Amino acid sequence: MNWELIFGQIKWTSFVFAGMIENPSLSEAIASGAGSIAVLGALATVILLTVKGWWVPLWRDWLTSVDHKKVGIMYIAIALVMFARAVIEAALMRAQQLAATEGAGFLSADHFGQLFSTHGTIMIFFVAMPFITGLMNYVMPLQIGARDVSFPLLNAISLMLTMAGAILIMVSLVVGQFSTGGWSAYPPFTGIEFSPGEGVDYWIWAVSLGSIGSTLTGLNFAVTIYKKRCPGMTLFRMPLFTWTTLCTSILMIFAMAPLTAATVMLALDRYAGFHFFTNGDGGNMMNYANLFWLFGHPEVYILILPAFGVWSEVVATFSSKRIYGYTSLVYATMCIAVLSFAVWLHHFFTMGQSANVNAIFGIATMIIGVPTGVKVYDWLLTMVGGRIRFSTAMLYHINFLLTFILGGMTGVLLANPGVDFQVHNTLFLVAHFHNMIIPGVLFGMFAAVQFWFPKVFGFRLHEGLGRASFWCFAPGFLLAFFPLYWLGMMGATRRTYMWSEPAYLPWLALAMLGAALILAGFALMVMQIVVSVRQRAQLAAPLGDPWDGRALEWSIPSPPPAWNFAVLPAVSSQDPFYEAKKAGIAYRSPTTYEDIEVPRNTATAPLIGLFACAWAFALVWHIWWLVIASFVLIWVVVIARSFATDTEETIPAATVKAANEAFLAAARAAPGVSRDREMTSENRGRALPESLEGRSGAISTGPAVEVLS
Amino acid sequence: MSLSERLHPGVNLAGTDPESHVAAEEVLFGFWIFLMSDLVLFAVLFATYAAMSVQGIAEGPRPAEVFDLTAAFLETLLLLFSSFAFGFAMLEMKYRENRRGVLVWLLLTGVLGAAFVGMELHDYYVMITEHAAPPQASGFLSAYYLLTGTHALHVSSGLVWMAIMAVQIAVLGFSTPVKLRLMRLALFWHMLDVVWIGIFTFVYLFGVAS
């Protein structure tokens, strides 16, 4: 019997536990422990779903759903699960580096290599990307007054491809090993000659699935924003989060293709003996460096722009002011999006191109500081004279302004090729990009969760625990990463698993302390969610507008109905909902309701995701029958779906009317809550606008008035 | 916006089927953006080829030694005529909604497209057997096979898509979704023509001239 025909290259020694049995050590014990957590976590999930009888609702209400809101929530769920793994890996690496200042520490070099590779890969592709994609998915259609994205099924397929990639990475904990080539997977190290195992293949296929999903997401959102804005919403009336979503989508359309090309070429080198990036035979790894960073640098802005959008919404709302310099923020966003394609070469200043080329790319890199600076001033000036409430989201924003500027300045330092020659490949660089991505992207997403959570689930998050979590995250971040600047200048190289330099010890200890604080922050954040769910009755804010919001998403109930807007709104200004509240015409009933068509749930997307996951797994392990079978099945599903004709269902006007009128009546009857009391249980989601406080009856409770003809 | 102002790339149905024309606007715009992203992929492959065809020869054969310009020219003609035939299929669909007419033109398109793919496979066979130029021979050849292979893969997917559309026309008739799919397939097919013109020029003509 030729087992290789059936199982490919999987042997019993491929399983992580075999290492522990054959060659017991602390490093192997940790690997087995992580594998056990993955297996037990999966088992626990299966048992929980079975015991609670949740399989059917999970399938019927979630996995087969094409509703952009549910898709968005599932994206963020993926991000949080993967974040838990990646942040623990980060703490483990810190502990190893601390333990290995004099001696070898407790992890093997190979294990450490896998840790930084999975940490980086997961944080970029399976935390940050799903987080921003989920958020854009949920919020953007609501902000532009649309009922859905342009291609709901494609949206669900993008989600399932991302989920397939995430599952593949989790599987790599148990079956086989992950790449040791870092998140950027530079050949020739990741070529077959130096990395003959399955690790790089896990990286290739997980990242490819994620990047295909992101390409489809980008085109879906761009079309949605161009074609599905409600009447009256011109481009320059779009909320800033929608603007950043648009620019991010365009970046995704253009930037993901080079990554796909690079991963395919690397795969061809590894699987078929091609010579794109090999040493010799005409291969050249600089091709990879160019392709990867042609994706990789715009990627940085794919991640940061949505967070910039979040900050714009948060600062305006919690300052009770119109955003300062709307137009300049829009143009700054566009400038950043364009410039992001002009700087990729700064990732390899030291790899031998001429000084002139380095100078041009150095200057281009520094120029990005200009539009970013414009944004920072706009946010600061939004706060000037505003009525600032220090909610958790606002605390994150203020912390972001301070720390992001520091990170930006170290970026300008690195943009100088001369300085870069000194500190490249050291922890200085590690400190810099964490300094951008953590306060910029991650804290931006945390602020977004605090800000939009009541919109998504109908109740606010516990404010005290939110602030407690913030007060661990913010100093934790400073402690964990600012020592790395110093270590980098002392010459500590990145991705190093041990060294013999006692002078590093105090700084590494500080960084470890920071990592512990970050872990505590994450624990408090999980606790915040658990406690909030328990106290959801006191925290309920079903009337939709807990923070005195400005854009259209706050004008509908929380959580929003499947159809989002009972009647498509018509807008005539920026901040349309805020203007309506000020004019006293919010919460008025429309004169007529119409039937609404919504897409039916379908198994298409989860099936494609399932087969894509099997396909990628089979490719990693060279299980050729499964490669062919799952590839065929993917296309069978697509073709079968193309013959389906009955893909939409109609929600009758009466249903829509009953739900919407009940909501409007409750909103009109509610007393409204002043800004001072918004963190108390009085806040049921009908904010009394700042400008109207003290004037009773300012919000019309009169008879139905036509909103849209 | 009036109906006639809502124009999109490819054949427009405003005059003959206004309802489908309105439905086409969003999906065709979306498909156009997909094609742009696909073109970025090809641009990246072209750039890689441009670098590798000069720097990546190593010990392997040079472009001028392995390319057959006659074959490439015939392939160009096949692909151009197939696009021409697809144009007639679209006109039949737009003005007559004539199933037989559309199917005949689609069949001609498919035969020409399949002949193109067949010729290209033959080229590969000749290169590998007579010139000892498989993709593993050098960086240049790796880039050559990936660029032309990606194009050939696109053409082949187009052929599969065409076959499915033929079935859908026969089973579902000219419903709005079927029309929109045909319109997108047409855009896809014409784009492959454009990409091939780039390949013919930059790979074959430049390669033989160098």
Side-chain angles (χ1 to χ4, degrees):
Chain A
M1 183 85 201
N2 187 355
W3 292 107
E4 205 169 316
L5 275 181
I6 302 175
F7 296 111
Q9 296 180 346
I10 302 182
K11 299 175 187 63
W12 84 272
T13 46
S14 304
F15 291 87
V16 68
F17 312 104
M20 186 59 198
I21 296 164
E22 288 190 331
N23 180 25
S25 67
L26 187 54
S27 185
E28 287 292 346
I30 291 170
S32 292
S36 314
I37 292 173
V39 172
L40 292 176
L43 267 181
T45 312
V46 168
I47 292 170
L48 183 75
L49 290 172
T50 311
V51 170
K52 294 268 189 180
W54 283 348
W55 280 110
V56 172
L58 177 71
W59 177 257
R60 191 190 52 208
D61 299 339
W62 290 91
L63 296 178
T64 57
S65 174
V66 292
D67 182 339
H68 72 93
K69 300 185 286 298
K70 288 185 172 170
V71 169
I73 293 170
M74 285 189 275
Y75 262 117
I76 292 172
I78 296 176
L80 288 176
V81 170
M82 298 306 278
F83 180 70
R85 172 174 167 188
V87 81
I88 291 170
E89 287 176 338
L92 200 57
M93 283 190 283
R94 274 282 143 271
Q96 158 68 19
Q97 288 196 326
L98 178 60
T101 39
E102 287 175 283
F106 54 91
L107 292 180
S108 69
D110 193 58
H111 193 175
F112 190 81
Q114 288 183 54
L115 280 174
F116 66 66
S117 304
T118 46
H119 171 80
T121 307
I122 290 176
M123 278 297 193
I124 296 290
F125 294 104
F126 298 104
V127 176
M129 287 297 267
F131 223 136
I132 59 148
T133 310
L135 190 67
M136 298 190 301
N137 238 309
Y138 199 98
V139 175
M140 178 271 288
L142 297 180
Q143 285 197 329
I144 60 171
R147 292 223 165 95
D148 209 332
V149 294
S150 284
F151 308 111
L153 177 60
L154 190 69
N155 198 22
I157 292 172
S158 310
L159 165 75
M160 291 301 166
L161 291 178
T162 308
M163 201 183 285
I167 290 172
L168 196 65
I169 292 234
M170 293 312 280
V171 168
S172 78
L173 267 181
V174 183
V175 192
Q177 307 209 320
F178 199 74
S179 168
T180 52
W183 83 281
S184 50
Y186 270 11
F189 180 72
T190 50
I192 198 75
E193 200 180 327
F194 297 102
S195 298
E198 67 285 350
V200 179
D201 301 326
Y202 267 121
W203 181 88
I204 288 174
W205 301 116
V207 166
S208 300
L209 287 175
S211 73
I212 293 169
S214 297
T215 311
L216 299 176
T217 296
L219 90 89
N220 203 346
F221 289 179
V223 176
T224 304
I225 295 175
Y226 281 126
K227 294 291 181 188
K228 283 197 117 59
R229 279 168 288 135
C230 67
M233 181 162 290
T234 58
L235 285 174
F236 275 82
R237 283 181 192 156
M238 294 198 310
L240 282 161
F241 180 75
T242 300
W243 258 113
T244 56
T245 301
L246 177 61
C247 291
T248 298
S249 305
I250 294 170
L251 289 186
M252 282 177 169
I253 294 164
F254 284 97
M256 302 318 284
L259 176 66
T260 310
T263 54
V264 166
M265 288 178 198
L266 187 59
L268 285 171
D269 272 7
R270 291 177 57 84
Y271 284 79
F274 281 44
H275 291 290
F276 288 106
F277 314 128
T278 52
N279 288 332
D281 288 326
N284 187 344
M285 85 72 68
M286 290 315 295
N287 282 329
Y288 185 87
N290 276 295
L291 288 174
F292 186 83
W293 291 112
L294 199 50
F295 143 78
H297 204 86
E299 167 73 11
V300 174
Y301 295 95
I302 289 175
L303 299 181
I304 197 77
L305 286 179
F308 283 174
V310 171
W311 297 129
S312 301
E313 305 285 328
V314 164
V315 73
T317 305
F318 287 109
S319 301
S320 294
K321 258 183 79 183
R322 187 192 174 107
I323 189 85
Y324 181 90
Y326 173 92
T327 314
S328 64
L329 280 164
V330 171
Y331 282 116
T333 306
M334 290 198 243
C335 284
I336 292 171
V338 172
L339 283 174
S340 73
F341 281 103
V343 305
W344 82 91
L345 214 128
H346 71 214
H347 292 272
F348 37 100
F349 274 158
T350 58
M351 291 203 206
Q353 56 269 3
S354 74
N356 283 342
V357 171
N358 277 0
I360 288 166
F361 279 86
I363 292 165
T365 303
M366 292 179 204
I367 286 176
I368 290 194
V370 177
T372 315
V374 167
K375 283 179 167 251
V376 169
Y377 281 112
D378 281 336
W379 291 319
L380 285 172
L381 289 167
T382 302
M383 286 192 264
V384 171
R387 182 174 171 192
I388 301 172
R389 291 105 69 193
F390 293 103
S391 62
T392 309
M394 193 64 177
L395 289 176
Y396 274 118
H397 178 65
I398 292 165
N399 175 62
F400 154 80
L401 286 176
L402 297 172
T403 48
F404 192 77
I405 289 168
L406 293 173
M409 288 195 289
T410 60
V412 175
L413 284 178
L414 283 166
N416 181 330
V419 177
D420 187 77
F421 265 76
Q422 287 301 313
V423 294
H424 89 279
N425 221 21
T426 68
L427 290 177
F428 188 91
L429 173 74
V430 175
H432 162 70
F433 69 71
H434 283 89
N435 199 168
M436 303 313 277
I437 289 178
I438 293 178
V441 184
L442 202 62
F443 289 174
M445 292 304 113
F446 290 171
V449 168
Q450 307 289 328
F451 186 59
W452 276 298
F453 190 93
K455 176 49 59 191
V456 177
F457 294 106
F459 57 95
R460 289 176 289 117
L461 282 169
H462 190 285
E463 185 65 17
L465 282 169
R467 288 184 204 193
S469 163
F470 167 80
W471 284 114
C472 287
F473 269 124
F477 158 74
L478 289 179
L479 276 175
F481 292 101
F482 277 63
L484 301 195
Y485 282 122
W486 194 244
L487 280 165
M489 286 192 281
M490 290 163 80
T493 47
R494 68 194 293 206
R495 294 170 175 166
T496 304
Y497 95 110
M498 64 172 283
W499 29 52
S500 49
E501 175 53 274
Y504 294 166
L505 190 65
W507 303 103
L508 286 167
L510 271 184
M512 183 71 228
L513 187 64
L517 266 176
I518 288 175
L519 277 182
F522 185 57
L524 279 168
M525 196 177 176
V526 173
M527 204 158 110
Q528 182 198 24
I529 294 173
V530 172
V531 168
S532 308
V533 170
R534 291 221 175 130
Q535 301 183 355
R536 58 189 177 280
Q538 294 105 290
L539 294 167
L543 300 178
D545 179 29
W547 316 125
D548 192 12
R550 312 181 74 83
L552 289 173
E553 78 265 31
W554 305 106
S555 68
I556 54 175
S558 299
W563 51 83
N564 293 357
F565 295 91
V567 170
L568 287 186
V571 301
S572 55
S573 64
Q574 283 165 22
D575 297 338
F577 181 54
Y578 190 79
E579 296 299 328
K581 285 189 287 186
K582 228 165 74 175
I585 55 169
Y587 304 115
R588 287 192 178 177
S589 300
T591 44
T592 54
Y593 289 92
E594 282 172 3
D595 292 351
I596 296 174
E597 299 257 304
V598 294
R600 277 183 205 282
N601 287 7
T602 164
T604 309
L607 285 179
I608 289 175
L610 179 71
F611 296 137
C613 194
W615 177 73
F617 182 78
L619 276 169
V620 170
W621 291 102
H622 300 230
I623 310 172
W624 300 116
W625 67 267
L626 185 57
V627 172
I628 296 165
S630 47
F631 183 79
V632 169
L633 281 170
I634 291 172
W635 289 103
V636 165
V637 171
V638 173
I639 292 165
R641 166 73 187 187
S642 76
F643 281 87
T645 47
D646 185 25
T647 58
E648 297 207 317
E649 62 187 323
T650 306
I651 296 171
T655 313
V656 178
K657 182 176 183 182
N660 195 46
E661 288 300 328
F663 157 68
L664 291 174
R668 287 192 290 251
V673 64
S674 70
R675 290 310 89 222
D676 296 326
R677 311 281 299 156
E678 70 183 347
M679 292 308 170
T680 67
S681 58
E682 282 171 41
N683 188 353
R684 312 306 284 178
R686 216 210 74 180
L688 209 53
E690 163 81 10
S691 54
L692 300 181
E693 266 178 35
R695 283 195 274 152
S696 60
I699 290 179
S700 165
T701 52
V705 175
E706 190 175 24
V707 170
L708 177 75
S709 54
Chain B
M1 235 186 286
S2 73
L3 204 56
S4 60
E5 283 172 41
R6 299 174 150 187
L7 295 177
H8 50 70
V11 68
N12 277 257
L13 300 179
T16 53
D17 183 356
E19 205 177 307
S20 295
H21 182 67
V22 172
E25 191 188 348
E26 196 168 340
V27 288
L28 279 165
F29 181 65
F31 197 73
W32 190 242
I33 290 187
F34 163 75
L35 290 182
M36 286 206 289
S37 145
D38 216 25
L39 278 177
V40 176
L41 182 72
F42 275 111
V44 163
L45 297 184
F46 270 110
T48 307
Y49 178 81
M52 295 296 241
S53 63
V54 180
Q55 313 282 350
I57 307 280
E59 307 297 312
R62 315 191 70 80
E65 297 165 28
V66 290
F67 291 153
D68 178 356
L69 211 50
T70 318
F73 178 66
L74 286 177
E75 285 155 19
T76 311
L77 287 184
L78 284 173
L79 208 56
L80 287 178
F81 277 117
S82 82
S83 257
F84 192 58
F86 207 137
F88 278 106
M90 294 307 286
L91 292 177
E92 283 283 330
M93 184 202 85
K94 178 176 175 181
Y95 291 109
R96 302 214 184 106
E97 298 209 359
N98 171 4
R99 283 190 203 196
R100 242 185 99 149
V102 175
L103 285 174
V104 167
W105 282 114
L106 268 190
L107 181 71
L108 182 60
T109 312
V111 168
L112 290 168
F116 168 85
V117 176
M119 270 198 81
E120 225 180 350
L121 290 177
H122 179 72
D123 283 357
Y124 290 163
Y125 177 76
V126 171
M127 280 176 72
I128 292 169
T129 53
E130 288 178 21
H131 298 288
Q136 289 83 359
S138 69
F140 147 62
L141 285 163
S142 297
Y144 164 80
Y145 279 95
L146 181 63
L147 173 59
T148 55
T150 306
H151 179 266
L153 205 62
H154 274 71
V155 176
S156 309
S157 327
L159 291 174
V160 175
W161 188 356
M162 225 171 271
I164 296 164
M165 287 320 299
V167 176
Q168 293 203 342
I169 291 167
V171 176
L172 305 172
F174 288 108
S175 65
T176 299
V178 170
K179 281 185 177 177
L180 300 192
R181 281 175 202 146
L182 267 177
M183 284 154 77
R184 277 174 281 180
L185 177 55
L187 283 186
F188 183 73
W189 200 254
H190 297 318
M191 184 204 74
L192 292 180
D193 244 7
V194 174
V195 173
W196 177 260
I197 297 301
I199 292 178
F200 184 63
T201 310
F202 291 109
V203 176
Y204 291 100
L205 290 182
F206 280 30
V208 171
S210 66

